[in-house]
Amino acid sequence: MPKAVSLDNEVRLLIKTGKVVLGAKKSIEAVKLGKAKGVILVTKLPKHIENDVLYYSRIGNVKVIRFNGSSYDLGVAIGKPFPVSTIAILDPGESSLLEEGEA
């Protein structure tokens, strides 16, 4: 059985070893263009942004991962000095975020 790893650690590993796009507008664009393999959303997101991301993710069959925290929490988790509400995963690198059964 694989060792349980926290979402914070997986997100850090993703940022370190993978390829991502930060921010709602760029993330939605990546999903629309079919470049995103997954999307990480914070729990408190403006409804219109959340609806757009979820809509295009459903159409593109893109995995949605919920980050339990605020945009400030996600920013801190990835080592950024600013809030981050949405992350589009272009390449998961060494993280296991997109593997079945995760998140």
Side-chain angles (χ1 to χ4, degrees), residues 3-89:
K3 183 175 78 171
V5 179
S6 81
L7 183 57
D8 282 19
N9 290 339
E10 284 298 313
V11 171
R12 280 190 205 97
L13 187 60
L14 168 70
I15 297 299
K16 198 181 239 182
T17 63
K19 187 169 168 51
V20 299
V21 174
L22 303 180
K25 282 184 181 179
K26 289 185 178 183
S27 294
I28 291 170
E29 185 179 319
V31 171
K32 281 182 179 178
L33 295 173
K35 294 180 179 180
K37 296 176 182 163
V39 179
I40 300 172
L41 298 175
V42 296
T43 50
K44 292 184 180 180
L45 195 61
K47 262 302 179 219
H48 68 282
I49 294 173
E50 182 177 12
N51 290 341
D52 281 355
V53 172
L54 293 176
Y55 174 76
Y56 290 111
S57 295
R58 213 172 297 121
I59 289 174
N61 200 23
V62 173
K63 182 174 183 175
V64 176
I65 300 163
R66 293 289 185 163
F67 182 85
N68 192 18
S70 70
S71 54
Y72 292 101
D73 296 333
L74 184 55
V76 167
I78 64 171
K80 299 295 181 190
F82 50 83
V84 177
S85 63
T86 312
I87 300 175
I89 304 169

